Amino acid sequence: MKRILLSLALAAALPVFAQSGSTVNPNAKVDPKNNKVGKPVVEKPKVKLMTRDELRHCLDLNDANVKEAQAIKDGQAAYKQESTDLRNEKDALTKEEEAYTANVAELKKEREAILKMNEDIKAAAPKMSKEELDAKRKEYEARAAKFDASAGPVIESGKALEGKRKVFSDKVDKFNASFKVLEDRTEAHLDKMDAWKAECSNKSYDEADEAAVKKERAAAGK
């Protein structure tokens, strides 16, 4: 992630960080006898308060940001779980492929042995009696039939494995694409958080407006 997603405060109201300052009246009187300045007159500057609509707007934005933060958190958890599931599926698929490869190697070895057996029978045929030759041919035919019977399931398992590879590959492509979607969603959320801070944080508001807005929100189920 380009930025770390920070958890949002679930506060129902915005904090007031603005503090009222003070200034010294330049027109304070001076005592001519001791040349001392009399007690200055302090004037507190007026603090600009948010309007009720602005306060309501900032609270709504905060609610939306909190909701989106939770949605992104859930999305991250789902992404992590899917990553684990895909790794497990890959491991199972790898084992299945290894078993298939071993079966194919055994079939190939048996096929070569049967072909050699046939060549050996042909070479020895002139020296064998009819009974011996018939017996060898029956042995060969039985071995070839057994090979054909065992080859069928292996061929079918290979076709099924090819289908599983395709399904898994599609899952991986979809999973990889979901990372970009989640990343963009997180970035957009962080931008909204920055916008909220710029618009709403460190802003003062009237307590009466806060109470009124809270009452409105409670009535609306917020």
Side-chain angles (χ1 to χ4, degrees):
M1 299 294 181
K2 295 179 182 177
R3 293 186 286 184
I4 299 175
L5 177 61
L6 302 179
S7 60
L8 299 176
L10 301 179
L14 302 178
V16 180
F17 294 107
Q19 296 180 351
S20 58
S22 61
T23 57
V24 177
N25 186 352
N27 297 319
K29 297 181 180 179
V30 178
D31 186 341
K33 295 181 179 180
N34 52 25
N35 198 31
K36 291 183 179 180
V37 179
K39 184 177 182 180
V41 178
V42 178
E43 294 182 353
K44 294 183 178 180
K46 292 183 179 180
V47 177
K48 183 178 180 181
L49 303 178
M50 284 195 292
T51 65
R52 186 174 297 186
D53 285 340
E54 289 172 338
L55 175 60
R56 185 184 298 108
H57 174 67
C58 284
L59 289 174
D60 288 342
L61 288 181
N62 185 65
D63 284 351
N65 286 336
V66 169
K67 184 177 180 180
E68 180 65 359
Q70 185 60 51
I72 291 173
K73 183 178 179 180
D74 293 342
Q76 290 171 336
Y79 179 88
K80 183 178 180 180
Q81 182 60 52
E82 186 175 1
S83 176
T84 299
D85 293 342
L86 285 175
R87 282 198 299 269
N88 293 337
E89 187 173 345
K90 181 182 179 181
D91 291 342
L93 191 59
T94 297
K95 291 179 180 179
E96 191 172 343
E97 288 176 339
E98 290 173 350
Y100 171 73
T101 300
N103 289 336
V104 170
E106 285 296 322
L107 284 177
K108 183 178 180 181
K109 182 179 178 181
E110 178 63 7
R111 181 176 181 276
E112 291 173 350
I114 291 173
L115 291 175
K116 185 177 184 304
M117 180 181 181
N118 186 46
E119 292 300 321
D120 291 343
I121 292 174
K122 288 179 180 180
K127 300 178 181 179
M128 290 190 291
S129 65
K130 184 177 181 303
E131 291 76 12
E132 289 175 334
L133 182 58
D134 287 343
K136 282 294 183 181
R137 283 175 176 173
K138 287 181 180 180
E139 182 183 348
Y140 165 79
E141 290 171 358
R143 189 173 181 180
K146 183 178 179 180
F147 172 83
D148 290 340
S150 62
V154 175
I155 292 173
E156 290 303 317
S157 68
K159 293 179 181 178
L161 185 58
E162 186 63 29
K164 290 180 181 180
R165 290 194 193 102
K166 178 63 170 61
V167 171
F168 179 75
S169 178
D170 290 343
K171 286 183 180 180
V172 171
D173 289 342
K174 184 178 179 180
F175 173 74
N176 290 336
S178 71
F179 175 81
K180 177 61 177 174
V181 173
L182 186 59
E183 182 182 46
D184 290 345
R185 185 175 184 179
T186 302
E187 284 296 312
H189 170 66
L190 291 173
D191 287 341
K192 289 180 180 179
M193 282 293 299
D194 290 341
W196 181 89
K197 290 176 183 177
E199 184 177 358
C200 301
S201 67
N202 297 329
K203 299 292 180 68
S204 300
Y205 53 84
D206 191 289
E207 291 183 359
D209 288 336
E210 179 190 13
V213 173
K214 280 185 176 181
K215 185 175 180 180
E216 290 175 2
R217 291 165 62 82
K222 294 183 179 180

